[in-house]
Amino acid sequence: MERLGLGPDSQVVEVASNDGYLLQYFPHGIVPLGTEPAANVARDAEARGAHRVEFFTADLARQLVDDGRSADLIGKQRAGTGAESLRDFVEGLRILLKPAGVITLEFLHLLQLMDGNQFDTIYHEHYSYFSVCWPPSASSQRTDSP
């Protein structure tokens, strides 16, 4: 909170927040917003604060900005898994984030998923999966300066 300069007037949004579990931990009077398309799961989230029962899209981001909810912080676990269109999802993040805002995204680590047999993290309702494999191999690193 201190490092990001978040306080009571800050706007925090968790995209596809499921039951809103993470949203309950924002102190300092921050009322975070969660978006979740599954109405049965979102019912639990509504008890924890503001919630929108719909997919996160560029159109929803525009509505939130029009409602004064431009975000200082956007969080998303397993980024992109529930997005029907990755392009629209990323565009929504761009629209919603304030110029000095921060986005934190969690991606699956494919190697850890396979090594640890963590296949219980894959769900049929997800449209796609994106993985970050870090560190990059030496052969994929650029040798020229950017």
Side-chain angles (χ1 to χ4, degrees), residues 8-24:
D9 295 327
S10 298
Q11 298 291 319
V12 174
V13 177
E14 184 182 13
V15 177
S17 57
N18 293 308
D19 64 359
Y21 182 78
L22 294 178
L23 299 176
Q24 67 186 330

Side-chain angles (χ1 to χ4, degrees), residues 18-19 36-47 51-53:
N18 293 308
D19 64 359
E36 171 56 48
N40 61 328
V41 176
R43 272 192 293 272
D44 293 332
E46 289 170 343
H51 221 77
R52 294 288 292 256
V53 182

Side-chain angles (χ1 to χ4, degrees), residues 93-112:
L93 295 175
R94 185 194 67 76
I95 291 166
L96 185 59
L97 190 67
K98 288 182 180 177
V102 174
I103 297 177
T104 177
L105 302 173
E106 175 198 65
F107 292 88
L108 293 171
H109 190 286
L110 183 59
L111 184 58
Q112 289 178 350

Side-chain angles (χ1 to χ4, degrees), residues 7-83:
D9 295 327
S10 298
Q11 298 291 319
V12 174
V13 177
E14 184 182 13
V15 177
S17 57
N18 293 308
D19 64 359
Y21 182 78
L22 294 178
L23 299 176
Q24 67 186 330
Y25 293 105
F26 281 94
H28 306 294
I30 293 176
V31 179
L33 172 71
T35 67
E36 171 56 48
N40 61 328
V41 176
R43 272 192 293 272
D44 293 332
E46 289 170 343
R48 294 186 167 109
H51 221 77
R52 294 288 292 256
V53 182
E54 57 188 294
F55 278 102
F56 182 78
T57 63
D59 285 341
L60 176 56
R62 285 185 197 91
Q63 290 173 23
L64 294 172
V65 169
D66 289 347
D67 292 343
R69 297 294 305 242
S70 294
D72 297 288
L73 174 63
I74 299 173
K76 172 68 179 105
Q77 294 182 304
R78 302 215 171 89
T81 58

